């Protein structure tokens, strides 16, 4: 099939990408932030026809970011859509990428007409454009030629990336040499990088590299080392340029003794940051602060642990590393990777803080004089003074009350007294945040070095958590750049959530309405972009429904569909409410809690529920649906549900109602004989959408509320299909003679059984009679697919 024909059949942007991939015969490619990424060509793709210049603007953003991070960039760039394509050599854009007069957006999605106008003079003179209908063969041939030539722009080796380059060399090249003494890696590495592939560029090195027809051969102390495999060598030198520029060569050689292969086990302290994630952090620092940031900035890590955040640093004479434990200080001082750094013991949340909250370095006399002077100079903006970068991965300990901890061992000691450090006593205006150790670090940093740049690993609580609202009112830094990474990249972190590495300027009180971040998976590979909102665009969804007050009528508090609460203290849901037909479990206002949303036929035994009445039913159904339609992931789990931004149609309301009634979280039930608090209780099911006659029930439903309510509603075809298939299952339930085991398990002792009982009983009876759920599932999936995008379109979640 011709490319033009495949594009005509494409329905989505992914279809467009796949059509080009097939036509170009791409074998090794990656789909991510760059729509199609090969070693030789990067493609920006659009579903609908789009202006070529704007597509290049977005692509240039990603190329510029990769170049600043020292990553390999391709020889060619291409933009593609349904109708056209364009191709250019990357080297023609280098001047543009380095042009400081161009205003680059914070994210690739921010590339717009303004940026396109700035780059147009550069681009239009160097691109070749193709109309696929007429020029398909020429475009395909041009791209295949570019791939065949395998030309890329290599990354130079500099003082700022020396540590990272060396670690990659050991992994890709050194490991293939059969070296016994790891200290020899450094001299072999320098022999390699000081060779241009033809001849040596520095004499009198301890080791030599000779390039022969068979490939590289290394000589050291009478030993000859040859590569077991040349693949890694070829890949390494496809990324990096050699030799280093002349002005860097002698400095790089001076750093030789500090270059030993890093053993991750040496760095695994209580708050260990994996080294491949540290690599990504240094890439971002370079892209944000400039290529020579290590030379320009004084770096202080005041919770260094055993130093893994500085393991990739190359200019350690500008680095100060302090930590709470003296044992960690000894470990860092014994590590040659930190030669040149100033390392000292310091309790940042308690040392040098007077009873009046003032910082006085004479109280402990622990602070190095040079660092004191750097802090003083930075505070007053002394001319010629180096700016300060605070680079930290602080502990995330939290106290629910003073001195509280439920953990044991080492982590318990670390959390002990979280809420009563000396610095916390100064944080009365920060609300809940004063209980968090990382927030206490932020507070003192802001007091001590108010003009510093901060680069910090942490959870995103201080960015968007509702209980950090008071903290955000006081802490007003300007966001520069950052990424989020899956918490599973870190050892011993439970749950499924993002850890941010965010870079802030404390000198500019310019709090952002939102921040854009690059999203990385646990291996550090980019998987997209993510926006986090500092302040909600609209009020939270949790405040949308008027919650009826409890009355004096007794009710049985439930912990699930059929089981009363087993709690004995602070039991909720023991009283009914006027007009109530059930209750809805609604924990929190974010996606991480959304999966617990449920509908019950009595009160809920714990906090986090409201009573459902006829008056609030349509809103309750919408809250239920929008909270459960979107699957929580590690990346979105802190996203806040918002009140809708647009009017809601009657069809949307009725679709949500039907979706709720047939969802697995509908735990409404009809039951007799529940035992709680010394007496028996019954549950009346008000959520059956059918009459007894429709489903062939052998007895009377105590409530026909939902059947009457839904009879007056015009349903969409998708909702009608769910009702039709659901009716069949309900009828099958009422005609089935269930064995006693199933009847007892699901308490099938009255006619008005709920959807939970209907579904689970039919599933449990599969050995006797297999129920075909597929027609129902297909109809329910179609309704789900219809509603899911509307959660975003109507503003219940931010795009």
């Amino acid at each position: 099939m011709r490319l033009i024909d495949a594009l005509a059949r494409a329905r989505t942007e992914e279809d467009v990408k796949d059509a080009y991939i097939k036509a170009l015969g791409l074998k090794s490619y990656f789909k991510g932030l760059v729509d199609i990424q090969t070693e030789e060509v990067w493609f920006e793709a659009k579903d609908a026809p789009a202006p070529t210049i704007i597509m290049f603007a977005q692509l240039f953003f990603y190329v510029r970011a990769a170049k600043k991070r020292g990553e390999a960039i391709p020889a060619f760039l291409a933009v593609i859509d349904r109708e056209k394509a364009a191709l250019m050599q990357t080297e023609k854009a280098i001047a543009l990428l380095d042009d400081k007069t161009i205003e680059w957006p914070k994210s690739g999605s921010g590339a717009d007409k303004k940026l396109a106008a700035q780059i147009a003079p550069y681009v239009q003179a160097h691109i070749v454009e193709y109309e696929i209908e007429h020029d398909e063969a020429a475009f395909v041939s041009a791209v295949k030629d570019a791939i065949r030539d395998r030309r890329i722009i290599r990354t130079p080796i500099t003082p700022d990336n020396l540590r990272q380059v060396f670690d990659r060399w050991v992994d890709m090249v050194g490991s293939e040499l059969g070296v016994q003494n790891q200290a020899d890696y450094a001299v072999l590495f320098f022999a390699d990088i000081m060779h241009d592939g033809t001849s040596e560029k520095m004499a009198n090195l301890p080791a030599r590299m000779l390039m022969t027809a068979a490939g590289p051969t290394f000589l050291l102390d009478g030993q000859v080392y040859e590569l077991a495999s040349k693949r890694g060598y070829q890949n390494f030198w496809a990324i990096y340029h050699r030799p280093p520029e002349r002005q860097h060569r002698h400095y790089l050689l001076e750093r030789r003794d500090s270059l030993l292969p890093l053993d991750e086990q040496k760095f695994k302290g209580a708050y260990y940051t994996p080294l491949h994630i540290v690599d990504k952090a240094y890439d971002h620092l370079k892209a944000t602060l400039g290529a020579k940031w290590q030379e320009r900035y004084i770096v202080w890590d005041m919770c260094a642990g055993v130093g893994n955040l500085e393991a990739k640093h190359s200019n350690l004479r500008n680095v100060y590393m302090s930590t709470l434990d003296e044992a960690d200080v000894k470990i860092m001082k014994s590590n040659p990777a930190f030669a040149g750094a100033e390392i000292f013991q310091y309790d940042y949340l308690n040392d040098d803080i007077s009873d009046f909250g003032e910082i006085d370095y004479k109280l402990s006399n622990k602070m190095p004089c040079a660092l004191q002077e750097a802090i003083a100079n930075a505070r007053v903006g002394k001319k010629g003074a180096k700016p300060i970068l605070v680079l930290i991965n602080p502990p995330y300990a939290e106290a629910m009350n003073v001195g509280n901890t439920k953990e044991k061992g080492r982590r318990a000691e670390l959390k002990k007294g979280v809420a009563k450090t000396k610095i916390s006593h100064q944080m009365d205006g920060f609300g809940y945040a004063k209980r968090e150790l990382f927030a206490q670090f932020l507070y003192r940093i802001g007091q001590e070095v108010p003009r510093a740049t901060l680069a910090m690993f942490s959870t995103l609580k201080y960015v968007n958590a509702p209980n950090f609202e008071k903290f955000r009112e006081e802490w007003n830094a300007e966001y520069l750049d950052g990424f989020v990474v899956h918490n599973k990249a870190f050892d011993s972190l439970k749950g499924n959530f993002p850890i941010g590495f965010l870079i802030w300027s404390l000198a500019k009180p310019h709090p952002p309405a939102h921040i854009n971040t690059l999203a990385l998976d646990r291996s550090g590979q980019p998987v997209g972009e993510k926006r986090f909102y500092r302040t909600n665009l609209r009020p939270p969804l949790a405040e949308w429904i008027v919650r009826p007050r409890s009355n004096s009528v007794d009710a049985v508090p439930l912990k699930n569909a059929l089981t009363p609460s087993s709690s004995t203290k602070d039991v909720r849901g023991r009283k009914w409410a006027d007009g109530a037909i059930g209750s809805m479990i609604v924990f929190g206002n974010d996606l991480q809690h959304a999966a617990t949303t449920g509908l019950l036929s009595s009160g809920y035994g714990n906090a986090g529920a409201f009573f459902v009445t006829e008056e609030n039913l349509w809103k309750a159904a919408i809250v239920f649906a929008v909270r459960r339609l979107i699957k929580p992931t590690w990346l979105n789990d802190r996203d806040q549900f918002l009140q809708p931004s647009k009017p809601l149609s009657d069809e949307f309301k009725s679709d949500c109602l039907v979706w709720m009634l047939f969802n697995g979280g509908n735990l409404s039930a009809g039951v007799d004989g529940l035992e709680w608090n010394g007496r028996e209780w019954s549950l009346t099911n008000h959520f059956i959408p059918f009459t007894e006659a429709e489903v062939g029930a052998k007895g009377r439903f105590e409530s026909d509320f939902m059947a009457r309510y839904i009879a007056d509603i015009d349903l969409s075809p998708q909702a009608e299909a769910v009702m039709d298939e659901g009716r069949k299952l309900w009828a099958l339930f009422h005609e089935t003679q269930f064995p006693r085991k199933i009847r007892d398990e699901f308490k099938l002792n009255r006619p008005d059984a709920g959807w939970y009982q209907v579904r689970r009983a039919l599933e449990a009876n599969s050995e006797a009679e297999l129920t075909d759920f597929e027609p129902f599932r297909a109809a329910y999936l179609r309704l789900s697919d219809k509603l899911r995008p509307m959660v975003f379109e109507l503003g219940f979640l931010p795009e």
Side-chain angles (χ1 to χ4, degrees):
M1 182 186 298
R2 294 189 310 154
L3 173 58
I4 189 65
D5 296 327
L7 292 173
R9 297 184 180 187
R11 300 179 61 186
T12 66
E13 184 174 302
E14 287 302 309
D15 292 341
V16 171
K17 295 178 193 177
D18 291 340
Y20 277 95
I21 289 169
K22 184 176 181 179
L24 297 170
L26 302 182
K27 302 299 183 185
S28 178
Y29 62 88
F30 177 77
K31 291 181 178 180
L33 283 179
V34 178
D35 287 328
I36 307 171
Q37 184 174 341
T38 73
E39 183 180 355
E40 303 85 2
V41 188
W42 287 4
F43 300 78
E44 175 67 23
K46 297 296 181 187
D47 179 17
T52 298
I53 298 299
I54 290 183
M55 288 195 285
F56 268 117
Q58 188 166 349
L59 187 54
F60 286 167
F61 175 90
Y62 298 125
V63 175
R64 180 174 179 268
K67 179 175 178 289
K68 283 194 170 187
R69 291 194 294 266
E71 298 174 358
I73 58 177
F76 290 87
L77 305 174
V79 299
I80 52 178
D81 63 30
R82 290 176 178 271
E83 297 179 354
K84 64 184 180 301
L87 188 65
M88 76 175 296
Q89 293 184 42
T90 309
E91 63 185 13
K92 301 296 185 183
I94 295 300
L96 178 151
L97 301 178
D98 294 335
D99 189 341
K100 295 182 179 180
T101 66
I102 293 178
E103 297 180 21
W104 294 93
K106 293 288 188 181
S107 67
S109 59
D112 55 13
K113 292 181 180 179
K114 180 180 178 182
L115 177 59
Q118 295 179 78
I119 69 170
Y122 293 89
V123 175
Q124 290 170 337
H126 298 294
I127 62 174
V128 180
E129 297 187 83
Y130 304 85
E131 290 184 17
I132 299 302
E133 183 176 359
H134 305 292
D135 305 321
E136 176 178 332
F139 173 70
V140 171
S141 176
V143 173
K144 288 185 175 180
D145 287 346
I147 293 173
R148 185 184 63 247
D149 289 345
R150 299 181 64 81
R151 290 188 290 163
I152 62 172
I153 297 173
R154 292 175 173 83
T155 301
I157 301 171
T158 70
D160 283 343
N161 68 8
L162 176 64
R163 177 81 245 185
Q164 291 169 277
V165 174
F166 173 72
D167 288 340
R168 292 200 70 182
W169 184 91
V170 171
D171 183 53
M172 301 172 71
V173 180
S175 60
E176 299 291 337
L177 293 174
V179 174
Q180 298 300 314
N181 182 4
Q182 289 198 341
D184 291 341
Y185 279 131
V187 291
L188 293 169
F189 166 70
F190 279 103
D192 198 5
I193 69 171
M194 297 301 178
H195 197 290
D196 67 1
T198 302
S199 61
E200 296 170 319
K201 295 304 176 185
M202 289 195 78
N204 302 318
L205 293 176
R208 295 188 66 195
M209 194 274 281
L210 304 177
M211 187 62 71
T212 68
T217 299
F218 293 84
L219 306 176
L220 175 62
D221 295 335
Q223 295 288 322
V224 177
Y225 297 98
E226 294 182 340
L227 296 166
S229 169
K230 298 175 185 175
R231 182 176 180 181
Y233 190 85
Q234 292 168 346
N235 287 344
F236 181 85
W237 288 118
I239 297 172
Y240 296 103
H241 174 76
R242 64 179 179 182
E245 293 183 18
R246 187 178 301 275
Q247 69 265 29
H248 296 322
R249 294 176 192 175
H250 286 287
Y251 174 82
L252 295 176
L253 283 173
E254 290 173 4
R255 295 286 300 142
R256 186 184 68 197
D257 291 341
S258 68
L259 294 182
L260 285 176
L262 295 176
D263 178 2
E264 293 217 15
Q265 296 303 318
K266 290 183 179 180
F267 296 100
K268 290 198 172 181
Y271 304 105
Y272 167 73
T273 311
L275 295 184
H276 70 286
I277 302 302
V278 176
D279 257 333
K280 297 298 181 181
Y282 273 65
D283 290 342
H284 260 70
L285 287 168
K286 180 180 177 182
T288 305
L289 305 180
K292 297 182 179 180
W293 72 272
Q294 293 190 33
E295 179 182 329
R296 291 178 50 238
Y297 281 83
I298 295 286
V299 176
W300 184 14
D301 182 351
M302 63 280 294
C303 41
V306 291
N308 63 297
L309 267 190
E310 288 68 43
K312 300 292 184 174
H313 214 85
S314 296
N315 195 348
L316 284 153
R317 290 190 177 277
N318 287 339
V319 174
Y320 294 85
M321 302 161 69
S322 59
T323 189
L324 179 65
D325 295 333
E326 186 63 45
D328 288 342
V329 171
K330 293 178 180 178
I331 291 172
M332 287 191 288
K333 285 186 175 180
S334 68
N335 192 334
F338 301 134
E342 182 76 36
I343 300 169
F344 59 104
Q345 187 277 330
Y346 200 71
D347 182 353
Y348 192 69
L349 301 183
N350 292 290
D351 280 347
D352 293 334
I353 302 171
S354 73
D355 293 338
F356 301 100
E358 298 171 339
I359 297 173
D360 181 359
Y361 299 128
K362 295 179 182 178
L363 293 175
S364 74
N365 287 318
K366 294 179 180 179
M367 181 77 73
C369 293
L371 181 55
Q372 293 184 41
E373 183 179 358
I375 291 172
N377 291 341
R379 283 184 67 92
V380 299
K382 182 177 179 181
K383 185 177 180 181
K386 288 180 183 266
I388 292 177
L389 170 69
V390 174
L391 176 63
I392 54 172
N393 180 5
Y396 307 148
E398 167 193 354
M400 300 309 293
N401 49 61
V402 174
N404 154 65
T405 177
K406 295 182 179 180
E407 299 192 60
K408 298 179 180 180
R410 167 71 169 155
R411 293 187 66 83
E413 287 301 312
L414 290 165
K415 287 191 174 186
K416 189 175 181 180
V418 165
K420 55 180 182 180
T421 63
K422 284 189 177 180
I423 202 66
S424 70
H425 297 322
Q426 319 304 321
M427 297 176 63
D428 289 340
F430 286 78
Y432 178 91
K434 71 180 293 183
R435 298 177 178 177
E436 295 269 3
L437 281 184
F438 84 89
Q440 294 177 22
F441 274 88
L442 291 182
Y443 176 77
R444 175 166 173 178
I445 291 165
Q447 300 298 307
E448 189 168 19
V449 279
R451 299 170 65 89
T453 298
L454 170 71
M456 180 175 72
F457 282 98
S458 75
T459 63
L460 277 297
K461 287 183 178 181
Y462 72 117
V463 175
N464 67 347
N467 54 12
F468 267 65
E469 187 173 348
K470 289 185 177 179
F471 176 88
R472 288 190 291 274
E473 291 174 0
E474 302 289 337
W475 197 80
N476 296 313
E478 180 184 32
Y479 177 67
L480 301 180
D481 199 4
F483 64 78
V484 291
V485 62
H486 198 309
N487 73 299
K488 297 300 184 184
F490 295 73
D491 289 346
S492 304
L493 286 186
K494 298 178 181 179
N496 212 28
F497 55 89
I499 294 291
F501 177 74
L502 308 182
I503 306 171
W504 304 86
S505 171
L506 304 186
K508 301 175 181 178
H510 186 265
H514 61 263
I515 66 170
N516 294 317
T517 64
L518 179 67
L520 308 178
D521 63 19
R522 66 183 68 184
S523 65
Q525 296 303 309
V527 293
E529 293 179 328
K530 177 63 179 175
R531 174 174 289 183
F532 296 91
Y533 290 86
R534 183 177 184 271
T535 54
N536 285 335
L537 303 174
R538 290 174 301 286
L541 187 63
E543 299 174 0
W544 194 44
I545 292 180
V546 176
R547 299 172 177 239
R549 292 183 175 274
S550 300
N551 58 26
S552 59
V553 177
D554 289 337
V556 54
L558 300 173
K559 65 179 180 181
N560 58 35
L562 305 170
T563 309
S565 173
S566 55
S567 299
T568 57
K569 296 181 179 179
D570 194 25
V571 181
R572 312 292 178 90
R574 294 187 295 179
K575 297 294 182 179
W576 206 234
D578 294 346
I581 56 176
S583 69
M584 185 171 291
I585 307 168
V586 182
F587 285 121
N589 192 58
D590 53 21
L591 267 165
Q592 67 172 317
H593 295 101
T596 61
T597 308
L599 183 66
L600 297 170
S601 286
S602 188
Y604 180 55
N606 295 314
F610 65 86
F611 286 106
V612 179
T613 66
E614 182 174 3
E615 288 72 28
N616 70 15
L617 175 59
W618 71 271
K619 281 191 174 182
I622 290 171
V623 168
F624 182 101
V626 301
R627 284 174 60 92
R628 294 190 67 108
L629 273 162
I630 306 303
K631 182 180 179 181
T633 67
W634 73 270
L635 194 53
N636 70 13
D637 80 326
R638 264 55 173 180
D639 285 1
Q640 301 292 313
F641 289 102
L642 307 174
Q643 294 183 22
S645 59
K646 299 177 182 177
L648 306 178
S649 68
D650 289 341
E651 182 173 306
F652 176 76
K653 296 175 184 178
S654 60
D655 279 349
C656 287
L657 176 61
V658 172
W659 196 89
M660 176 183 73
L661 293 175
F662 289 93
N663 183 265
N666 176 3
L667 306 179
S668 60
V671 181
D672 286 332
L674 294 183
E675 295 184 0
W676 182 75
N677 201 25
R679 57 175 281 195
E680 287 194 352
W681 302 80
S682 294
L683 300 181
T684 298
N685 184 6
H686 296 279
F687 295 94
I688 303 175
F690 309 115
T691 65
E692 295 90 340
E694 285 183 277
V695 296
K698 297 179 177 63
R700 180 177 178 272
F701 297 158
E702 186 167 334
S703 170
D704 65 347
F705 168 80
M706 188 56 64
R708 289 185 290 103
Y709 187 92
I710 212 163
D712 295 331
I713 298 174
D714 291 328
L715 299 180
S716 69
Q718 295 86 352
E720 282 283 11
V722 172
M723 288 283 289
D724 291 343
E725 296 300 333
R727 187 182 295 107
K728 295 174 185 176
L729 294 175
W730 226 292
L732 178 60
F733 168 85
H734 281 285
E735 72 180 35
T736 300
Q737 296 293 322
F738 293 102
R740 179 166 295 279
K741 179 181 178 181
I742 293 176
R743 295 187 63 81
D744 289 347
E745 180 178 0
F746 298 107
K747 297 180 171 57
L748 307 181
N749 52 27
R750 52 189 284 168
D752 57 348
W755 174 240
Y756 171 82
Q757 294 163 294
V758 169
R759 177 173 53 85
R760 295 297 300 275
L762 289 174
E763 291 171 344
N765 198 44
S766 60
E767 291 185 6
E769 182 179 356
L770 186 63
T771 300
D772 183 8
F773 283 95
E774 283 309 310
F776 167 79
R777 289 173 182 150
Y780 194 76
L781 179 61
R782 287 192 291 272
L783 180 59
S784 301
D785 289 343
K786 175 186 177 183
L787 287 172
R788 194 168 291 112
M790 300 179 74
V791 174
F792 300 98
E793 292 169 9
L794 296 173
F796 290 104
L797 282 172
E799 289 283 358

